[in-house]
Amino acid sequence: MIPFDLRRFDRLAGAVSLAPGAHVLDVGCGKGEALFRLAAQFAVRGVGVEKSPYLAEAAERAAPLRDPNGRVALHIMDASDFDAPADHFALSMCLGSTHAWGGLDESLRRLAQCTAPGGYVLIGEPFWSRPPDPAFLESLGAPADAHLDLRSTVARGLDHGLSSVMSLTSSQEEWDWYEGLVTLSIERYVASTADDGEHDAYLERARAMQSRYWNGGRDCLGFAVVLYRKPGPAAVS
């Protein structure tokens, strides 16, 4: 889940023009939404890597309906343990999960490495839309360099031999919707499952996230979805 309308993701995917059977990687794939959509629309072969058993198992439960042809393979594992083949994928994605590979730079390096020449890298990453207030950073428990500004975020891909093709940013409405959905999903999970002793902690975490967003985060956080291309002939991997 990221603060980005899935209809915009569909249009972006359409612009890439993936060939049937092309291989697509999604690191930190969550419930597999992006891969399921690409498999349904373009008949690609997807590989998803997700550390959270809760999210990965939700993807597996959805697979019979969302992916009846078995085009998406899910790996429940830490991304650092995933051995991605070099120069293989027509599209390599990491949407809101660059922490899985240790941050933006390392994610871009590894995604570029496993993408076929002529293929695409798609990154979703928060950025500072303006310098954050010290009080917000303190509540977040993060330094000012936890994120970059938009220009610097996009430029990072160039440092890894990629060319920037398209950069899209989330609207305020998308951010508000995302924050509300995160809270709602936690509330529903707590209401629908037996208390394992962690329910109060989940709810406290959700309320803390809401408080941070409405008391500083909303004013300084942006989210960018950046499409890069790896030099080379058109990829058909």
Side-chain angles (χ1 to χ4, degrees):
M1 187 187 300
I2 58 173
F4 195 74
D5 193 314
L6 288 170
R7 291 170 296 184
R8 298 178 71 193
F9 174 81
D10 291 342
R11 293 208 327 262
L12 181 59
V16 173
S17 299
L18 293 165
H23 292 87
V24 176
L25 172 67
D26 189 1
V27 176
C29 67
K31 296 181 181 180
E33 181 64 32
L35 289 175
F36 289 149
R37 296 177 85 88
L38 293 175
Q41 294 177 53
F42 306 106
V44 300
R45 310 292 302 186
V47 175
V49 181
E50 176 54 55
K51 180 179 180 179
S52 165
Y54 169 72
L55 296 176
E57 288 165 8
E60 290 178 336
R61 288 194 300 271
L65 179 64
R66 299 294 305 279
D67 182 34
N69 295 308
R71 295 190 175 104
V72 175
L74 297 168
H75 300 271
I76 306 177
M77 62 189 303
D78 193 302
S80 62
D81 296 325
F82 178 68
D83 187 15
D87 298 329
H88 180 70
F89 295 98
L91 172 64
S92 304
M93 305 184 292
C94 186
L95 302 173
S97 298
T98 58
H99 57 274
W101 264 341
L104 178 60
D105 273 312
E106 181 63 10
S107 295
L108 283 165
R109 184 189 72 80
R110 295 189 65 168
L111 290 171
Q113 185 178 56
C114 68
T115 300
Y120 294 90
V121 169
L122 186 63
I123 281 280
E125 181 75 359
F127 66 91
W128 297 129
S129 56
R130 70 166 178 77
D133 291 333
F136 171 68
L137 288 174
E138 184 177 355
S139 71
L140 191 62
D145 61 0
H147 304 304
L148 306 169
D149 61 25
L150 178 58
R151 184 186 298 274
S152 300
T153 299
V154 174
R156 278 295 192 267
L158 311 185
D159 297 337
H160 297 277
L162 303 170
S163 60
S164 174
V165 176
M166 189 181 304
S167 304
L168 305 173
T169 59
S170 298
S171 67
Q172 194 66 73
E173 180 182 4
E174 286 171 320
W175 258 117
D176 292 348
W177 187 249
Y178 165 78
E179 290 290 336
L181 283 179
V182 169
T183 300
L184 183 61
S185 67
I186 294 173
E187 297 271 0
R188 284 178 171 169
Y189 173 77
V190 168
S192 63
T193 60
D195 191 353
D196 58 0
E198 297 291 330
H199 280 190
D200 287 345
Y202 295 151
L203 292 173
E204 183 178 348
R205 192 176 305 131
R207 290 160 188 159
M209 289 170 58
Q210 278 280 327
S211 177
R212 285 195 298 270
Y213 179 67
W214 290 102
N215 291 282
R218 192 176 190 267
D219 300 323
C220 63
L221 272 173
F223 190 84
V225 175
V226 187
L227 181 68
Y228 302 96
R229 186 174 183 273
K230 183 173 178 176
V236 293
S237 294

